[in-house]
Amino acid sequence: MNQSRPKVRRSRALGIPLTPKDVKYFERRPFPPGQHGRARPKVSDYKVRLLEKQRLKAQYNIRESQLRAAFDRAVRRPGKTGEELIADLETRLDALVLRAGFARTIYQARQVVTHQHVNVNGKRVDRPSARLRPGDVIEIAERSRPKTPFQIAAAGAHAGERTAPYLDTDLPGLRTRLIRLPLRQEIPVLCDEQLIVEFYSR
C-alpha cells in the first residue's frame, strides 16, 4: 500500500516510530512535524480516538476498509472486541512473516508476500491480508532462499522482540508454524484498542 507521506513524518505525526530506522529521528524530534509541531494543540475526545485508530492502521500498514472489516469480524466474536480485533490483524500473513523474523518491517513483509516469496502449507500465497489458522505453516519459497534478504533473515538479523510465542519458528530453515491464536499481551502493537472500539461504536 503506497503512502505519500515519508515514514519519519508519519511516525512523528502518530507519536510512534513505525520502523527501526525512524527511532533515532523520533527520539531527536518527539513532536509532530510542521511549523506548529511544538505547539500544544487542542485535543478533543474524537481526535484522541481517531489518532489511536490511525496508529493501529499504520503499524499493520492497512487501509481503512481493511481495518473496518477486521473490526466487524471482531464484534461478532465472543471475546472482548478490542482484543479480538488485534488478534485478527495479527493473523494476517504479512504480520506473521514479520513476527517470525523473515522481514525487518511490516513494509518489507508485505513486499515479500506480494512478490511471491512465501508459501503457506506448501502453496504460494501472494495476498498479505490472507488470514492464517493454527497449524498453518509459512515458509520462504525454495527458489527465494539464496537471495540476500532471506540469508540475512536466516542469520537472525530480524529476530528478537519480533519473534512471537504463538509461532514455532525455524529461522535457519526460514519456516514457521502458527501454533495457536495470539493473546493481546503477546502482540507488540502500541495502541489502546478500547479507544478504537469506541471510535467505531460512536
Side-chain angles (χ1 to χ4, degrees):
M1 185 175 67
N2 292 326
Q3 293 283 351
S4 59
R5 201 174 198 185
K7 293 184 182 67
V8 172
R9 290 179 67 84
R10 289 189 71 214
S11 292
R12 290 173 59 200
L14 295 171
I16 52 172
L18 296 175
T19 69
K21 183 180 177 181
D22 291 344
V23 173
K24 63 179 180 179
Y25 295 101
F26 188 79
E27 289 175 348
R28 192 166 31 181
R29 295 185 173 186
F31 48 84
Q35 62 178 336
H36 301 297
R38 293 176 184 270
R40 291 186 178 180
K42 293 180 181 178
V43 180
S44 65
D45 288 345
Y46 173 79
K47 185 174 181 179
V48 169
R49 287 158 179 74
L50 174 64
L51 182 62
E52 210 63 31
K53 176 182 72 75
Q54 301 292 61
R55 284 176 176 168
L56 184 61
K57 274 176 54 181
Q59 288 177 86
Y60 281 104
N61 190 32
I62 57 177
R63 297 187 300 273
E64 175 63 31
S65 59
Q66 292 175 310
L67 181 56
R68 181 72 211 211
F71 176 80
D72 291 341
R73 285 192 296 270
V75 168
R76 296 194 292 268
R77 291 176 183 151
K80 292 183 179 179
T81 301
E83 295 181 3
E84 293 290 343
L85 170 62
I86 305 297
D88 182 274
L89 294 173
E90 191 65 13
T91 56
R92 286 172 54 98
L93 178 55
D94 56 355
L96 293 176
V97 166
L98 173 66
R99 304 295 180 229
F102 299 161
R104 185 168 181 258
T105 66
I106 190 66
Y107 309 100
Q108 185 182 22
R110 181 184 180 86
Q111 188 178 56
V112 163
V113 176
T114 57
H115 288 193
Q116 302 184 346
H117 296 301
V118 175
N119 292 341
V120 177
N121 299 330
K123 296 181 180 179
R124 186 181 301 164
V125 178
D126 59 4
R127 280 193 312 114
S129 62
R131 293 310 197 280
L132 273 69
R133 289 179 284 192
D136 287 345
V137 175
I138 305 168
E139 54 189 342
I140 301 301
E142 197 68 40
R143 61 181 174 77
S144 303
R145 296 184 180 203
K147 296 180 182 294
T148 302
F150 301 116
Q151 291 295 306
I152 292 172
H158 311 318
E161 63 182 36
R162 290 186 182 80
T163 303
Y166 40 90
L167 292 174
D168 178 17
T169 303
D170 171 19
L171 259 182
L174 293 171
R175 183 178 186 273
T176 191
R177 182 170 64 90
L178 181 61
I179 304 170
R180 55 174 173 78
L181 294 177
L183 303 175
R184 173 62 184 101
Q185 60 267 28
E186 298 171 335
I187 302 172
V189 168
L190 302 173
C191 82
D192 183 342
E193 58 272 15
Q194 183 56 37
L195 292 178
I196 300 168
V197 173
E198 291 172 9
F199 177 88
Y200 282 124
S201 302
R202 73 191 192 287

